[in-house]
Amino acid sequence: MDGVLVHEERALPGAPEFLQRLADTGRRFLVLTNNSIFTPRDLAARLARSGITVPEEAIWTSALATADFLARQMPRGSAYVIGESGLTTALHEAGFILTDTAPDYVVLGETRTYSFEAITRAIRLIEGGARFIATNPDATGPSAEGPLPATGSVAALITRATGAEPYFVGKPNPMMFRSAMNRISAHSETTAMVGDRMDTDVVAGIEAGLRTFLVLTGSTRAEQVERYPFRPHRVVDSVRDLVPLV
């Protein structure tokens, strides 16, 4: 989503036209984000403010992917959650019990206000046998004042304290894309991924067997592409260049 469709609450060149073309041609699609803070309804409203119309059912977050994964692993399990409404709502709707007493899992997501008390509780629960899951490995997140510590940084703190490595569900884990494809009944041979990061979007797309398109409106610059040992199928300036291909 960010870096492909929007940047700092503004639609990127060609984003509305690209999504409209997908809708006009009947293409099934999902807008993916590693951000686990917001619910799909929140994100649909944010996109609408940028002039982009996306139904909430067409948004797939790392929180939804995490809830989907855990529901398959342990139906009606229990979890101690560090995160915001995007994650707690997804787990609740997946049938999980949210508790701080002997949970099956500790689930770490992103929040604007990480609590030392909550992190301490997570450490003790993991040491007591809870399995450690995190929505995504992003070390920092953006803000108007500069980078903020994100899920990956807090996960590293918990790992250092417990010795337990989390299982990250979100990008670059191809699980994120596979769960998204299951959501829209898509097959890897006929699915494409459009992203702005080589180290998360493109590598996960390749590992999931998708055609990958890198846009240069986000994190990765053109001169950085050659540094990676893998390549996307095509590099374009923005999603505007992809409209004729739909």
Side-chain angles (χ1 to χ4, degrees), residues 11 70 85 87 92 99 103 106 114 121-122 139 149-150 152 171 181 189 192 202 208 212 221 244:
L70 291 179
S85 60
L87 182 57
H92 178 75
T99 179
V106 164
Y114 284 109
R121 183 64 177 160
K171 302 175 296 181
M181 286 189 289
E189 292 182 0
V202 172
T212 55
R221 299 188 301 274

Side-chain angles (χ1 to χ4, degrees), residues 2 7-8 35 37 46 110 138-150:
D2 292 297
H7 175 67
E8 295 183 351
N35 189 320
I37 292 178
R46 175 190 166 195
E110 192 172 345
D138 298 1
T140 61
S143 77
E145 294 77 26
L148 294 172

Side-chain angles (χ1 to χ4, degrees), residues 130-154:
R131 304 158 184 85
F132 188 17
I133 299 287
T135 56
N136 67 84
D138 298 1
T140 61
S143 77
E145 294 77 26
L148 294 172
T151 310
S153 295
V154 179

